[in-house]
Amino acid sequence: MSNANEMLKSFLKENKDHHYNFEEEINYKVSSGSLNVDFELNGGFGPGLHRFTGMNEGGKTSEALEVMKNFLKMPHSRGLYIKAEGRLSKEMQERSGVEFATAEDDWSDGNCFVFESNIYETVLDLMRALVGDNENKTKYCFILDSLDGLIMKEDLKKDFQDAHKVAGGALLGAKFMQKMSIALAKRGHMAIFISQVRADIKLDPYSKAPVRQTTATGGNALLHFANYILEFEPRFKKDLILEHSTQPIDKDKNKILGHSAKITVKKSPNEKTNYTLQYPIRYGRTGGNSIWIEKELIDMLYGWEYIKKRGAWISSDESFLELLKENGFDFPEKVQGEGKLSVIFEEDKKLTSFLASYFKKIICE
């Protein structure tokens, strides 16, 4: 062994409290809840920081809670929802499928504690304590909703007419991740930071706009710390999913069934940057079932040529029927219309679960 190796070995040992080289790296993939999104993200989200940005009602919080729900399926896992904006309605909780706890004694593996604070130092201290003092090797999923809601203690004490920090969100975000980023990723924890959009104020309307990776608040530092940055696009009338797609909306004769959510990948580790992804949302569902997985399955079956449409009829490929038969499922050779095909999947939860797992296995390989 060379002198340099001996020096490095001694240095690492003497400074073991200030680096992570002796710790085993933990890796996993947590599903987004959508087959389409999982396919493009190579199976879902891994440890570390992810940012969800975009317009209001774009689906940021709902998708963050969907990831949380799937994260909590892992053994020895807990969630922490940091309620920094005061928004987590009862309806959203019911739709999410996440079990929430508001009393410290009710927090346990598999559920999520709601921490109601927007004080930067308090939030950071709690996260550092959980990640740093973790003898039980618990994996944590943190949702910060939102970064823009945080305020420092010294600013909290100021009167409204007093000056506050300029670019406070950027400063807080940078300081936050300087203290937490390596520990989060190395030790298998996940953090999802939700951010609002920012508008640039231009004094000269003819001046050239600076190139920005995303419209989110929080400064450039968080762009570098994040693994994935997903920007949730605004929803338009054309994104609505109706009972009859070619007919106008009618509350009695042609109801709105859901909508197509759209996200643009602003940063990714798997060369998907600038891709726009879509996934369907079904209205009226609770328990973490809002993502319309049945509709995605039909699209997947078309894509893999397991089913083909001829006129009004949808026929099943022999290999698909054989796959289902081998796993104990009966399936019709022909179905009249996508509506009836969707009903089959919605009524047979075991079949839907099997096909979803089948495609996810293919996606993750």
Side-chain angles (χ1 to χ4, degrees):
M1 184 179 296
S2 69
N3 186 47
N5 292 92
E6 289 290 350
M7 289 177 60
L8 178 60
K9 183 178 180 180
S10 177
F11 181 86
L12 291 175
K13 188 175 181 179
E14 291 174 4
N15 294 274
K16 62 181 181 179
D17 294 333
H18 303 289
H19 66 82
Y20 299 88
N21 288 69
F22 292 156
E23 296 188 24
E24 181 182 358
E25 187 170 3
I26 299 173
N27 282 304
Y28 52 74
K29 288 288 186 178
V30 175
S31 172
S32 67
S34 162
L35 290 174
N36 295 338
V37 177
D38 283 353
F39 185 79
E40 299 297 345
L41 303 190
N42 289 355
F45 299 94
L49 171 66
H50 309 289
R51 293 190 68 195
F52 292 177
T53 74
M55 302 291 290
N56 62 304
E57 293 192 350
K60 303 183 295 296
T61 301
S62 295
E63 175 56 22
L65 290 173
E66 176 69 24
V67 176
M68 169 85 77
K69 182 197 72 174
N70 295 325
F71 180 96
L72 292 175
K73 293 177 182 178
M74 294 191 295
H76 309 297
S77 62
R78 296 190 182 201
L80 183 73
Y81 182 93
I82 300 160
K83 190 178 177 183
E85 286 189 358
R87 299 181 301 106
L88 183 62
S89 66
K90 182 180 179 182
E91 291 79 11
M92 183 171 287
Q93 293 183 43
E94 291 175 349
R95 286 199 305 268
S96 71
V98 175
E99 179 188 342
F100 291 95
T102 54
E104 59 273 20
D105 291 338
D106 295 332
W107 194 29
S108 60
D109 288 359
N111 71 12
C112 173
F113 182 75
V114 180
F115 184 51
E116 301 181 75
S117 174
N118 71 332
I119 309 302
Y120 163 76
E121 292 91 341
T122 305
V123 170
L124 179 59
D125 286 346
L126 177 58
M127 290 181 64
R128 290 180 70 181
L130 292 172
V131 172
D133 186 10
N134 190 16
E135 293 182 358
N136 295 328
K137 304 296 182 183
T138 301
K139 291 186 286 291
Y140 293 104
C141 179
F142 303 98
I143 296 178
L144 173 55
D145 192 4
S146 69
L147 178 66
D148 310 272
L150 294 181
I151 187 171
M152 298 188 76
K153 287 181 180 179
E154 62 181 75
D155 284 338
L156 185 66
K157 298 175 183 178
K158 293 179 180 178
D159 293 331
F160 287 106
Q161 65 268 24
D162 294 335
H164 290 65
K165 284 189 181 295
V166 178
L171 177 63
L172 296 185
K175 290 175 65 178
F176 203 105
M177 291 314 298
Q178 284 170 359
K179 297 176 185 293
M180 294 292 298
S181 61
I182 300 179
L184 280 173
K186 187 81 173 187
R187 296 172 180 173
H189 307 296
M190 183 187 295
I192 300 174
F193 285 5
I194 297 174
S195 300
Q196 302 168 2
V197 294
R198 172 185 57 196
D200 290 326
I201 300 174
K202 296 175 65 176
L203 298 178
D204 180 2
Y206 302 103
S207 63
K208 188 175 181 180
V211 177
R212 299 192 188 281
Q213 190 168 350
T214 176
T215 58
T217 57
N220 291 324
L222 286 182
L223 302 179
H224 300 284
F225 285 115
N227 293 318
Y228 280 103
I229 300 177
L230 304 184
E231 189 160 299
F232 289 70
E233 304 293 340
R235 190 190 316 165
F236 300 103
K237 191 174 181 180
K238 62 183 177 64
D239 298 317
L240 298 176
I241 301 173
L242 309 176
E243 289 180 326
H244 308 287
S245 60
T246 58
Q247 298 177 19
I249 299 171
D250 188 294
K251 65 182 181 66
D252 298 315
K253 298 179 181 179
N254 192 21
K255 298 177 181 178
I256 301 173
L257 301 179
H259 74 272
S260 181
K262 293 186 296 184
I263 54 177
T264 299
V265 181
K266 291 294 185 176
K267 183 185 177 185
S268 72
N270 68 336
E271 301 179 340
K272 298 298 181 181
T273 302
N274 293 323
Y275 278 42
T276 297
L277 315 178
Q278 297 190 46
Y279 58 95
I281 300 296
R282 183 71 157 96
Y283 294 164
R285 289 184 172 180
T286 59
N289 297 302
S290 292
I291 294 180
W292 202 342
I293 193 74
E294 298 88 352
K295 190 172 181 61
E296 287 193 315
L297 281 176
I298 293 174
D299 293 337
M300 282 279 183
L301 292 173
Y302 277 130
W304 289 79
E305 297 186 349
Y306 280 147
I307 59 174
K308 292 182 179 180
K309 190 172 184 179
R310 294 183 177 88
W313 290 91
I314 299 171
S315 58
S316 302
D317 184 77
E318 288 185 10
S319 61
F320 177 56
L321 294 174
E322 186 64 29
L323 171 68
L324 296 182
K325 186 177 180 180
E326 289 175 355
N327 288 275
F329 296 102
D330 292 322
F331 198 82
E333 293 184 10
K334 290 185 177 182
V335 178
Q336 190 173 17
E338 289 185 5
K340 291 186 177 179
L341 183 58
S342 183
V343 168
I344 291 174
F345 291 134
E346 289 177 7
E347 292 181 348
D348 194 339
K349 300 298 182 185
K350 289 184 178 180
L351 173 61
T352 300
S353 179
F354 166 75
L355 288 174
S357 298
Y358 173 77
F359 282 116
K360 284 179 181 178
K361 185 177 180 180
I362 295 175
I363 289 168
C364 294
E365 285 181 350

